[in-house]
Amino acid sequence: MRNKLELLSIHIPKTAGTSLFELIKINYGNEACKEYKREDVYELQKKNKNLIDDLSNKIKAVHGHLYFNETLEIVKKEKPKIITWFRDPIDRVISDYAFFIKRLHDDPSTFNEAEFINQHRRNESLLTFASVEENRNCMVQFIDGLELRDLFFFGFVETIENDIMELANLLSWQYCNITKENENTQFREKYINISVAEMERLKELNSLDIKLYNKALALKKAGFKKKKITS
């Protein structure tokens, strides 16, 4: 008999998910945690398997680039606490673009399959990248089917230190120091200059994310909070 899944962390790209997963592993234990990247999900789909089929008996916490609708079976069956993080939509897509392009200029010996396939996009512009359907309104896409109030917790990259402390208090975590991973600030400053017109276009492409982000901010400001979990 497998452990009940206690935590589902939906990692929207470029929302400090790598750092968060380190905290999850520390507090649940490595053997009780499972991370999914998009290529892992694609492999499951090729085998006609879903999340619940793939988890071992030991897993208590799942974190990864999972769309909510890909988790429906296990959510309905085991009702884990669902958490996610939001980020200013324009900053998020710029960071996603910078990470994508920077990786394509890295040492090819470090490439995964997707990076080999996308080598022809090494000089792709920000607006071209941002116009791809999967890169538009990314936050809305990942939590589609979930209301904000259905989440056990949501935090913001901009206030991550305070939000991590709040989450740690709710879950009675013993360790909650966070370190920033996958930063590409220098690359962004050197190579990405955005005009006013480009900024307006990015806002158009991510209008739904902007609406979601502002709604989440307002809900948080109004005092949205779940009850602390006590053992």
Side-chain angles (χ1 to χ4, degrees):
M1 184 176 180
R2 55 172 260 96
N3 287 323
K4 179 179 180 292
L5 185 66
E6 298 178 8
L7 185 74
L8 172 62
S9 171
I10 296 177
H11 177 195
I12 298 166
K14 306 314 297 177
T15 57
T18 302
S19 301
L20 178 62
F21 188 50
E22 290 305 310
L23 294 185
I24 291 173
K25 287 189 293 184
I26 288 170
N27 285 280
Y28 283 86
N30 285 350
E31 291 187 354
C33 298
K34 176 79 172 179
E35 181 181 28
Y36 287 90
K37 300 185 184 300
R38 285 312 298 167
E39 52 262 36
D40 301 321
V41 178
Y42 297 146
E43 285 301 312
L44 286 180
Q45 292 171 347
K46 288 178 185 177
K47 299 173 183 176
N48 292 317
K49 295 174 65 177
N50 59 33
L51 193 63
I52 201 168
D53 301 319
D54 190 57
L55 296 179
S56 73
N57 295 338
K58 298 179 180 180
I59 301 301
K60 294 182 180 180
V62 165
H63 168 86
H65 293 308
L66 294 159
Y67 292 99
F68 173 68
N69 62 22
E70 295 169 337
T71 73
L72 286 176
E73 186 173 348
I74 199 164
V75 166
K76 289 178 180 177
K77 183 177 180 180
E78 303 192 9
K79 298 179 173 56
K81 296 178 285 292
I82 305 174
I83 67 174
T84 197
W85 296 80
F86 298 121
R87 182 175 184 174
D88 175 89
I90 306 308
D91 193 45
R92 193 213 64 79
V93 75
I94 292 171
S95 181
D96 201 11
Y97 168 75
F99 180 74
F100 176 75
I101 295 299
K102 181 179 180 298
R103 280 294 294 138
L104 295 183
H105 286 81
D106 284 346
D107 181 355
S109 67
T110 67
F111 288 173
N112 59 31
E113 182 180 354
E115 286 154 357
F116 273 115
I117 292 173
N118 283 299
Q119 271 298 289
H120 65 287
R121 300 174 65 185
R122 292 174 82 247
N123 298 312
E124 184 170 287
S125 71
L126 170 60
L127 286 187
T128 298
F129 174 88
S131 298
V132 175
E133 188 63 32
E134 69 176 358
N135 298 328
R136 297 176 60 182
N137 297 306
C138 195
M139 298 192 296
V140 166
Q141 290 190 54
F142 268 82
I143 68 164
D144 184 38
L146 263 177
E147 296 294 331
L148 289 173
R149 291 186 180 275
D150 293 332
L151 289 161
F152 175 77
F153 180 87
F154 59 86
F156 300 88
V157 171
E158 294 81 3
T159 54
I160 191 165
E161 288 84 2
N162 289 337
D163 289 349
I164 282 289
M165 291 296 291
E166 182 182 341
L167 176 62
N169 180 59
L170 289 172
L171 294 175
S172 298
W173 281 0
Q174 300 303 308
Y175 180 93
C176 56
N177 292 327
I178 191 163
T179 57
K180 295 182 179 180
E181 304 285 348
N182 288 341
E183 287 210 75
N184 48 47
T185 304
Q186 291 183 339
F187 182 88
R188 288 177 58 174
E189 290 176 350
K190 184 175 181 179
Y191 293 104
I192 302 176
N193 295 303
I194 305 169
S195 68
V196 173
E198 288 171 328
M199 181 63 74
E200 290 307 308
R201 180 56 179 155
L202 289 176
K203 290 178 181 178
E204 291 175 5
L205 291 169
N206 293 279
S207 60
L208 297 180
D209 265 7
I210 292 171
K211 183 178 179 180
L212 172 65
Y213 182 76
N214 289 334
K215 183 178 180 180
L217 282 174
L219 189 58
K220 198 80 165 182
K221 186 176 181 180
F224 172 75
K225 185 181 292 186
K226 298 288 187 177
K227 293 181 179 179
K228 180 177 180 179
I229 302 297
T230 55
S231 54

